Amino acid sequence: MGIINCSPESFFRPSYAPPKNVHKMAVSLIEGGADIIDIGARSTAPDTSVIPVNEEISRVKRSLEELKGIDIPLSLDTTRPEVLRAALHYEINAINDIGGLSNPDYARMIADSGLSPVVMAAKREPGDPKSFEEVLYALMLVEERCIQYKIESYILDPGIGRWSNERGPELDISICTDFSVFKKYKRPLLGALSRKSFIGDITGRPPEGRLAGSLAFTMMILNGGANIIRTHDVPETVDCIKVFEAAGKRK
């Protein structure tokens, strides 16, 4: 899953594409080996100002307009029902909900759309679990919500990342090293760790210098059963997956 950020506030500047460059970036991701592209229009990093709903809608609509007819599935990364409602006038194929279906209006809209969501571990807010046990509890809640709203086809995301300043790197490291635990849910698993803060905490590097660390943890979660890797660096991650798959065939 390649990433296009339509938000200039993004923590990794090279992933940002203004509307006029969105199609070009999408083509580059496709050529690099992406199977799906995730489009997001606002940053959820701690201390980032929350943009108005109308601004997020405008960014999404302009970007999706540029991607009309492109030959790759598109996922919309948003937690706002108003944004999803606007995006459904375009051809999108999946929804990335970091809120874990905790918003009833949004959950009902996702269910009514018939699209498969990626649903992140969240109790009430994105990234609110503060321990591994809370991540498991949040994923249990996600499964209960999927049953409640009759969403049968969904992907689970354990929620790697510093979603609040109270959350340190230890939890993200644990999620990666113990990723195989999530296989018990018997659902496809998405790993979204690309260039995130915990890698910088370990290496001391800014987002631009975290590729090697991202690939190291990517190999780890692949070994733990990850089915989809959300990444800023598609060609390098595709190579990582190829190496992992080749090594597995030799066992």
Side-chain angles (χ1 to χ4, degrees), residues 3 9 19 45 64 80 95 97 102 104 112 140 151 198 207 209 232 235 237 239 241 248:
I3 300 168
E9 307 87 5
L64 291 176
R80 290 165 157 175
I95 301 161
D97 178 21
S102 59
D112 291 343
M140 181 194 72
I151 299 171
F198 78 107
H232 301 94
T237 302
D239 285 352
I241 293 169

PDB file of all heavy atoms in Angstrom, residues 3 9 19 45 64 80 95 97 102 104 112 140 151 198 207 209 232 235 237 239 241 248:
ATOM      1  N   ILE A   3       1.588   5.343  -0.190  1.00  0.00           N
ATOM      2  CA  ILE A   3       0.979   6.488   0.503  1.00  0.00           C
ATOM      3  C   ILE A   3       1.098   7.747  -0.346  1.00  0.00           C
ATOM      4  O   ILE A   3       2.174   8.070  -0.857  1.00  0.00           O
ATOM      5  CB  ILE A   3       1.685   6.740   1.847  1.00  0.00           C
ATOM      6  CG1 ILE A   3       1.576   5.528   2.763  1.00  0.00           C
ATOM      7  CG2 ILE A   3       1.121   7.991   2.530  1.00  0.00           C
ATOM      8  CD1 ILE A   3       2.487   5.602   3.986  1.00  0.00           C
ATOM      9  N   GLU A   9       1.009  19.346   5.893  1.00  0.00           N
ATOM     10  CA  GLU A   9       1.452  19.196   7.279  1.00  0.00           C
ATOM     11  C   GLU A   9       2.106  17.840   7.534  1.00  0.00           C
ATOM     12  O   GLU A   9       2.575  17.577   8.646  1.00  0.00           O
ATOM     13  CB  GLU A   9       0.256  19.341   8.238  1.00  0.00           C
ATOM     14  CG  GLU A   9      -0.562  20.597   8.046  1.00  0.00           C
ATOM     15  CD  GLU A   9      -1.656  20.451   7.007  1.00  0.00           C
ATOM     16  OE1 GLU A   9      -1.848  19.338   6.482  1.00  0.00           O
ATOM     17  OE2 GLU A   9      -2.320  21.466   6.706  1.00  0.00           O
ATOM     18  N   PRO A  19      -2.456  18.848  -5.482  1.00  0.00           N
ATOM     19  CA  PRO A  19      -3.333  18.231  -6.485  1.00  0.00           C
ATOM     20  C   PRO A  19      -2.701  18.070  -7.869  1.00  0.00           C
ATOM     21  O   PRO A  19      -2.858  17.024  -8.512  1.00  0.00           O
ATOM     22  CB  PRO A  19      -4.531  19.176  -6.525  1.00  0.00           C
ATOM     23  CG  PRO A  19      -4.590  19.737  -5.145  1.00  0.00           C
ATOM     24  CD  PRO A  19      -3.163  19.890  -4.708  1.00  0.00           C
ATOM     25  N   ALA A  45      -0.559  13.442  13.277  1.00  0.00           N
ATOM     26  CA  ALA A  45       0.577  13.442  14.203  1.00  0.00           C
ATOM     27  C   ALA A  45       0.274  14.329  15.413  1.00  0.00           C
ATOM     28  O   ALA A  45      -0.465  15.317  15.300  1.00  0.00           O
ATOM     29  CB  ALA A  45       1.823  13.942  13.492  1.00  0.00           C
ATOM     30  N   LEU A  64      -8.796  13.243  -5.784  1.00  0.00           N
ATOM     31  CA  LEU A  64      -9.512  12.163  -6.450  1.00  0.00           C
ATOM     32  C   LEU A  64      -9.906  12.546  -7.869  1.00  0.00           C
ATOM     33  O   LEU A  64      -9.978  11.686  -8.755  1.00  0.00           O
ATOM     34  CB  LEU A  64     -10.740  11.764  -5.635  1.00  0.00           C
ATOM     35  CG  LEU A  64     -10.448  11.076  -4.292  1.00  0.00           C
ATOM     36  CD1 LEU A  64     -11.742  10.808  -3.540  1.00  0.00           C
ATOM     37  CD2 LEU A  64      -9.679   9.778  -4.495  1.00  0.00           C
ATOM     38  N   ARG A  80     -13.612  11.142   9.152  1.00  0.00           N
ATOM     39  CA  ARG A  80     -14.753  12.044   9.145  1.00  0.00           C
ATOM     40  C   ARG A  80     -15.812  11.591   8.141  1.00  0.00           C
ATOM     41  O   ARG A  80     -15.529  11.458   6.945  1.00  0.00           O
ATOM     42  CB  ARG A  80     -14.283  13.455   8.799  1.00  0.00           C
ATOM     43  CG  ARG A  80     -13.446  14.099   9.903  1.00  0.00           C
ATOM     44  CD  ARG A  80     -12.714  15.308   9.409  1.00  0.00           C
ATOM     45  NE  ARG A  80     -12.352  16.221  10.504  1.00  0.00           N
ATOM     46  CZ  ARG A  80     -11.606  17.314  10.338  1.00  0.00           C
ATOM     47  NH1 ARG A  80     -11.124  17.627   9.146  1.00  0.00           N
ATOM     48  NH2 ARG A  80     -11.331  18.087  11.371  1.00  0.00           N
ATOM     49  N   ILE A  95     -11.528   1.886   2.628  1.00  0.00           N
ATOM     50  CA  ILE A  95     -11.524   2.982   3.593  1.00  0.00           C
ATOM     51  C   ILE A  95     -10.551   2.637   4.705  1.00  0.00           C
ATOM     52  O   ILE A  95     -10.524   1.503   5.187  1.00  0.00           O
ATOM     53  CB  ILE A  95     -12.932   3.197   4.184  1.00  0.00           C
ATOM     54  CG1 ILE A  95     -13.939   3.508   3.073  1.00  0.00           C
ATOM     55  CG2 ILE A  95     -12.921   4.320   5.219  1.00  0.00           C
ATOM     56  CD1 ILE A  95     -15.380   3.281   3.473  1.00  0.00           C
ATOM     57  N   ASP A  97      -9.803   3.538   8.372  1.00  0.00           N
ATOM     58  CA  ASP A  97     -10.365   4.224   9.542  1.00  0.00           C
ATOM     59  C   ASP A  97      -9.478   4.021  10.756  1.00  0.00           C
ATOM     60  O   ASP A  97      -9.541   2.982  11.421  1.00  0.00           O
ATOM     61  CB  ASP A  97     -11.773   3.704   9.825  1.00  0.00           C
ATOM     62  CG  ASP A  97     -12.383   4.360  11.071  1.00  0.00           C
ATOM     63  OD1 ASP A  97     -11.913   5.455  11.450  1.00  0.00           O
ATOM     64  OD2 ASP A  97     -13.307   3.769  11.659  1.00  0.00           O
ATOM     65  N   SER A 102     -15.228   3.779  15.949  1.00  0.00           N
ATOM     66  CA  SER A 102     -15.769   4.292  17.208  1.00  0.00           C
ATOM     67  C   SER A 102     -16.811   5.385  16.999  1.00  0.00           C
ATOM     68  O   SER A 102     -17.585   5.690  17.911  1.00  0.00           O
ATOM     69  CB  SER A 102     -14.640   4.822  18.100  1.00  0.00           C
ATOM     70  OG  SER A 102     -13.922   5.855  17.440  1.00  0.00           O
ATOM     71  N   PRO A 104     -20.183   6.184  15.512  1.00  0.00           N
ATOM     72  CA  PRO A 104     -21.318   5.416  14.978  1.00  0.00           C
ATOM     73  C   PRO A 104     -21.790   5.889  13.607  1.00  0.00           C
ATOM     74  O   PRO A 104     -22.114   5.062  12.741  1.00  0.00           O
ATOM     75  CB  PRO A 104     -22.407   5.617  16.040  1.00  0.00           C
ATOM     76  CG  PRO A 104     -21.667   5.938  17.293  1.00  0.00           C
ATOM     77  CD  PRO A 104     -20.465   6.718  16.859  1.00  0.00           C
ATOM     78  N   ASP A 112     -22.790   0.974   4.951  1.00  0.00           N
ATOM     79  CA  ASP A 112     -23.701   1.215   3.830  1.00  0.00           C
ATOM     80  C   ASP A 112     -22.967   1.316   2.498  1.00  0.00           C
ATOM     81  O   ASP A 112     -23.534   1.014   1.443  1.00  0.00           O
ATOM     82  CB  ASP A 112     -24.499   2.503   4.060  1.00  0.00           C
ATOM     83  CG  ASP A 112     -25.505   2.378   5.205  1.00  0.00           C
ATOM     84  OD1 ASP A 112     -25.813   1.234   5.587  1.00  0.00           O
ATOM     85  OD2 ASP A 112     -25.947   3.423   5.708  1.00  0.00           O
ATOM     86  N   MET A 140     -10.504  -6.192  20.013  1.00  0.00           N
ATOM     87  CA  MET A 140     -11.730  -6.909  20.368  1.00  0.00           C
ATOM     88  C   MET A 140     -12.945  -5.999  20.166  1.00  0.00           C
ATOM     89  O   MET A 140     -13.972  -6.414  19.606  1.00  0.00           O
ATOM     90  CB  MET A 140     -11.674  -7.395  21.809  1.00  0.00           C
ATOM     91  CG  MET A 140     -12.905  -8.177  22.242  1.00  0.00           C
ATOM     92  SD  MET A 140     -13.008  -8.397  24.043  1.00  0.00           S
ATOM     93  CE  MET A 140     -13.431  -6.717  24.567  1.00  0.00           C
ATOM     94  N   ILE A 151     -20.363  -5.449   9.126  1.00  0.00           N
ATOM     95  CA  ILE A 151     -19.227  -5.297   8.216  1.00  0.00           C
ATOM     96  C   ILE A 151     -18.467  -6.622   8.227  1.00  0.00           C
ATOM     97  O   ILE A 151     -17.849  -6.977   9.229  1.00  0.00           O
ATOM     98  CB  ILE A 151     -18.313  -4.133   8.647  1.00  0.00           C
ATOM     99  CG1 ILE A 151     -19.096  -2.817   8.619  1.00  0.00           C
ATOM    100  CG2 ILE A 151     -17.079  -4.053   7.751  1.00  0.00           C
ATOM    101  CD1 ILE A 151     -18.346  -1.646   9.227  1.00  0.00           C
ATOM    102  N   PHE A 198       8.916   5.980  16.432  1.00  0.00           N
ATOM    103  CA  PHE A 198       9.651   5.026  17.260  1.00  0.00           C
ATOM    104  C   PHE A 198      10.953   4.592  16.592  1.00  0.00           C
ATOM    105  O   PHE A 198      11.931   4.290  17.274  1.00  0.00           O
ATOM    106  CB  PHE A 198       8.773   3.823  17.613  1.00  0.00           C
ATOM    107  CG  PHE A 198       8.611   2.799  16.535  1.00  0.00           C
ATOM    108  CD1 PHE A 198       9.244   1.567  16.623  1.00  0.00           C
ATOM    109  CD2 PHE A 198       7.792   3.044  15.441  1.00  0.00           C
ATOM    110  CE1 PHE A 198       9.078   0.599  15.641  1.00  0.00           C
ATOM    111  CE2 PHE A 198       7.612   2.080  14.451  1.00  0.00           C
ATOM    112  CZ  PHE A 198       8.263   0.856  14.544  1.00  0.00           C
ATOM    113  N   PRO A 207      12.686  11.728   9.994  1.00  0.00           N
ATOM    114  CA  PRO A 207      11.925  10.898   9.059  1.00  0.00           C
ATOM    115  C   PRO A 207      12.669  10.580   7.766  1.00  0.00           C
ATOM    116  O   PRO A 207      12.581   9.455   7.246  1.00  0.00           O
ATOM    117  CB  PRO A 207      10.671  11.730   8.790  1.00  0.00           C
ATOM    118  CG  PRO A 207      10.471  12.503  10.062  1.00  0.00           C
ATOM    119  CD  PRO A 207      11.864  12.840  10.532  1.00  0.00           C
ATOM    120  N   GLY A 209      15.669   9.931   7.303  1.00  0.00           N
ATOM    121  CA  GLY A 209      16.735   8.958   7.486  1.00  0.00           C
ATOM    122  C   GLY A 209      16.282   7.633   8.074  1.00  0.00           C
ATOM    123  O   GLY A 209      17.111   6.862   8.559  1.00  0.00           O
ATOM    124  N   HIS A 232       5.735   4.586   2.616  1.00  0.00           N
ATOM    125  CA  HIS A 232       6.120   5.713   1.769  1.00  0.00           C
ATOM    126  C   HIS A 232       7.071   5.265   0.667  1.00  0.00           C
ATOM    127  O   HIS A 232       7.222   5.957  -0.343  1.00  0.00           O
ATOM    128  CB  HIS A 232       6.835   6.792   2.599  1.00  0.00           C
ATOM    129  CG  HIS A 232       6.030   7.344   3.728  1.00  0.00           C
ATOM    130  ND1 HIS A 232       6.110   6.846   5.013  1.00  0.00           N
ATOM    131  CD2 HIS A 232       5.126   8.359   3.776  1.00  0.00           C
ATOM    132  CE1 HIS A 232       5.306   7.538   5.817  1.00  0.00           C
ATOM    133  NE2 HIS A 232       4.694   8.459   5.087  1.00  0.00           N
ATOM    134  N   PRO A 235       9.185   0.935  -3.861  1.00  0.00           N
ATOM    135  CA  PRO A 235      10.147   0.008  -4.488  1.00  0.00           C
ATOM    136  C   PRO A 235      10.997  -0.744  -3.468  1.00  0.00           C
ATOM    137  O   PRO A 235      11.217  -1.958  -3.602  1.00  0.00           O
ATOM    138  CB  PRO A 235      11.008   0.919  -5.371  1.00  0.00           C
ATOM    139  CG  PRO A 235      10.183   2.128  -5.606  1.00  0.00           C
ATOM    140  CD  PRO A 235       9.381   2.312  -4.351  1.00  0.00           C
ATOM    141  N   THR A 237      10.271  -1.392  -0.338  1.00  0.00           N
ATOM    142  CA  THR A 237       9.445  -2.325   0.431  1.00  0.00           C
ATOM    143  C   THR A 237       9.075  -3.541  -0.409  1.00  0.00           C
ATOM    144  O   THR A 237       9.027  -4.669   0.105  1.00  0.00           O
ATOM    145  CB  THR A 237       8.185  -1.614   0.952  1.00  0.00           C
ATOM    146  OG1 THR A 237       8.583  -0.490   1.747  1.00  0.00           O
ATOM    147  CG2 THR A 237       7.330  -2.538   1.794  1.00  0.00           C
ATOM    148  N   ASP A 239      10.953  -4.845  -2.686  1.00  0.00           N
ATOM    149  CA  ASP A 239      12.164  -5.677  -2.651  1.00  0.00           C
ATOM    150  C   ASP A 239      12.256  -6.451  -1.339  1.00  0.00           C
ATOM    151  O   ASP A 239      12.622  -7.628  -1.307  1.00  0.00           O
ATOM    152  CB  ASP A 239      13.415  -4.820  -2.830  1.00  0.00           C
ATOM    153  CG  ASP A 239      13.616  -4.370  -4.271  1.00  0.00           C
ATOM    154  OD1 ASP A 239      12.871  -4.841  -5.151  1.00  0.00           O
ATOM    155  OD2 ASP A 239      14.525  -3.546  -4.506  1.00  0.00           O
ATOM    156  N   ILE A 241       9.801  -7.435   0.554  1.00  0.00           N
ATOM    157  CA  ILE A 241       8.802  -8.510   0.509  1.00  0.00           C
ATOM    158  C   ILE A 241       9.289  -9.655  -0.371  1.00  0.00           C
ATOM    159  O   ILE A 241       9.129 -10.837  -0.021  1.00  0.00           O
ATOM    160  CB  ILE A 241       7.451  -7.961   0.008  1.00  0.00           C
ATOM    161  CG1 ILE A 241       6.868  -6.980   1.031  1.00  0.00           C
ATOM    162  CG2 ILE A 241       6.470  -9.098  -0.271  1.00  0.00           C
ATOM    163  CD1 ILE A 241       5.674  -6.189   0.530  1.00  0.00           C
ATOM    164  N   GLY A 248      11.410 -17.597   2.582  1.00  0.00           N
ATOM    165  CA  GLY A 248      10.415 -18.534   3.101  1.00  0.00           C
ATOM    166  C   GLY A 248      10.300 -19.778   2.254  1.00  0.00           C
ATOM    167  O   GLY A 248      10.093 -20.885   2.772  1.00  0.00           O
TER     168      GLY A 248
END
